């Protein structure tokens, strides 16, 4: 569904931020990009979502590439990142209508999807409140619902539980598990290893713009000859990070 092939990215001449990353993500799979701040998670996800071009390498989305099929790719992807903020003066209702129009979603379908996500995330009572009056958790839930308004087969979520309380965080992780069961291909980035441990089928530990190790939780523990995923993560990090 998603193939990342030897992708490199330099923001400046003297530093390579992404240094040759390759991986594949399949339908019904949650792929985790786990790494500390600055590892390059957001950079990679922005390239996969076509918001930014790699310096070299290729990204293929369901057989499509962004040099030819940009619009087709956009229809297939739901992208969530903390870097994009909701209009503080708009309301959940108006934002849903706006994005539905952007994606050409018929009115009847919009109404069903709106009702579904408003119910799931308890957005209903806040539907006509201004975004800036809402809590961080509520804003995040609205962002998630909007990013998936077109029911995309591919979901790319950059640190989706960042800054959320445990209850909201659980709502988000439960939803991701449900989406996986429905067959979506999901890429998730996080710096919290417990999130990766709970959700991901395959985890790439990203250290300084490179995949230092990749596998399931069990495989990474076996590979590092450690006793827990936490120990495995730290061992991989220490062995690969160069100051
Ligand atoms: N627009 C940019 N211009 C220059 N450097 C950037 C830019 N965006 C990110 N970086 C740098 O790239 C590295 C990786 O950043 P990022 O992809 O945001 O990592 P992460 O999401 O894992 O925290 C960091 O060193 C960051 O400072
Ligand atoms: Mg980031």
């Amino acid at each position: 569904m998603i193939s990342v092939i030897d992708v490199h990215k330099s923001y400046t001449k003297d530093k390579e931020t992404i240094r040759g990353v390759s991986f594949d993500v399949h339908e019904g799979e949650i792929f985790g990009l786990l790494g500390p701040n600055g590892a390059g998670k957001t950079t990679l996800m922005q390239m996969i979502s076509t918001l930014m071009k790699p310096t070299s390498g290729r990204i293929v989305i369901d057989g499509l590439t962004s040099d030819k099929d940009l619009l087709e790719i956009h229809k297939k992807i739901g992208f969530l990142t903390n870097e994009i903020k909701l209009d503080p003066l708009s309301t959940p209702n108006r934002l849903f209508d706006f994005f539905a129009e952007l994606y050409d979603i018929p009115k009847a379908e919009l109404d069903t999807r709106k009702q579904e996500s408003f119910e799931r995330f308890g957005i209903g009572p806040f539907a006509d409140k201004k975004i800036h009056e809402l809590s961080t958790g509520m804003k995040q839930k609205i962002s998630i619902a909007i990013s998936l308004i077109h029911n995309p087969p591919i979901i790319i979520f950059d640190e989706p539980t960042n800054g959320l309380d445990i209850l909201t965080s659980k709502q988000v992780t439960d939803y991701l598990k449900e989406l996986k069961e429905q067959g979506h291909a999901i890429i998730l980035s996080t710096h919290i290893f417990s999130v990766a441990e709970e959700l991901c089928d395959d985890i790439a530990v990203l250290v300084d713009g490179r995949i230092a190790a990749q596998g399931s939780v069990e495989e990474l523990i076996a590979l590092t000859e450690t006793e827990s995923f936490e120990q495995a993560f730290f061992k991989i990090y220490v062995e690969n990070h160069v100051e």
Side-chain angles (χ1 to χ4, degrees), residues 11-12 15 17 35-44 83 158-159 206:
Y11 286 109
T12 54
K15 188 179 172 233
T17 294
N37 289 336
K41 303 181 296 295
T42 299
T43 300
L44 256 176
E83 326 267 309
D158 191 8
E159 311 246 14
L206 197 66

Side-chain angles (χ1 to χ4, degrees), residues 104-141:
D104 274 331
I105 297 171
K107 176 87 173 76
E109 196 184 326
L110 164 68
D111 289 343
T112 319
R113 296 195 64 86
K114 208 187 213 178
Q115 200 184 344
E116 261 173 31
S117 25
F118 278 19
E119 255 169 47
R120 164 187 299 276
F121 288 129
I123 299 171
F126 307 96
D128 294 307
K129 291 228 186 298
K130 294 234 167 29
I131 294 297
H132 72 85
E133 298 175 273
L134 305 177
S135 68
T136 307
M138 186 51 68
K139 279 187 238 179
Q140 181 74 342
K141 289 190 279 188

